[in-house]
Amino acid sequence: MQNDYIIITNNPLVPEKIGGTHNVEYEEISYEEVLRAVRDRIHEGHTLLSHPLSGSVKPNETPYKSIMLSAGKGEVDPRSVVIIENAIEACGKFVFKSDKYKREVYDDFQMIDWTLLESAITSADVW
């Protein structure tokens, strides 16, 4: 089990792929609710390890987001606070439209989010 980081996600593909080997916290919540859950963790002393707006898919275009945080807690990291607050603000600027897609498109968005996360995991595991 990877214990150096936590993955907070609303992407059902993530726990399916790595739920048995990584610390994955999955909930059926919105993209913005994922950001807010991450913000709450940052205020508890966790640090962002992946950017909340990674990839070129806008928050209104995809319903899925996976974000990595440090497992350990320390002092509140001001940089992480600024990044997550800016991400929440950016998310609020977009009109939600991902509820208009066919089922297959949701599968594609799950795969895009998974691919971005997998790349972050590979980098984190090298550290």
Side-chain angles (χ1 to χ4, degrees):
M1 178 77 69
Q2 290 292 337
N3 294 317
D4 298 315
Y5 50 83
I6 302 164
I7 299 165
I8 297 180
T9 186
N10 67 347
N11 182 349
L13 187 58
V14 174
E16 180 182 314
K17 293 269 192 186
I18 59 168
T21 58
H22 291 72
N23 188 353
V24 177
E25 295 183 12
Y26 167 78
E27 284 190 68
E28 290 183 25
I29 57 177
S30 72
Y31 187 110
E32 188 169 352
E33 288 171 312
V34 170
L35 297 179
R36 292 183 187 286
V38 168
R39 180 199 53 202
D40 293 348
R41 290 298 189 87
I42 290 169
H43 284 289
E44 293 173 1
H46 297 275
T47 303
L48 272 175
L49 298 180
S50 66
H51 199 284
L53 297 177
S54 61
S56 61
V57 182
K58 294 182 180 100
N60 66 320
E61 294 175 342
T62 181
Y64 302 109
K65 191 64 196 170
S66 300
I67 302 174
M68 293 174 61
L69 293 167
S70 65
K73 296 179 187 179
E75 294 293 319
V76 174
D77 177 39
R79 183 172 173 267
S80 293
V81 171
V82 168
I83 291 170
I84 197 64
E85 292 294 349
N86 287 341
I88 292 169
E89 183 179 331
C91 188
K93 293 179 182 179
F94 293 102
V95 176
F96 186 72
K97 63 182 178 183
S98 66
D99 58 345
K100 298 173 178 33
Y101 300 132
K102 294 180 182 177
R103 179 65 235 162
E104 309 83 62
V105 177
Y106 287 94
D107 293 342
D108 291 343
F109 281 128
Q110 288 177 19
M111 185 56 70
I112 291 167
D113 178 67
W114 163 248
T115 302
L116 291 167
L117 178 63
E118 187 176 35
S119 175
I121 289 170
T122 301
S123 296
D125 288 348
V126 171
W127 281 41

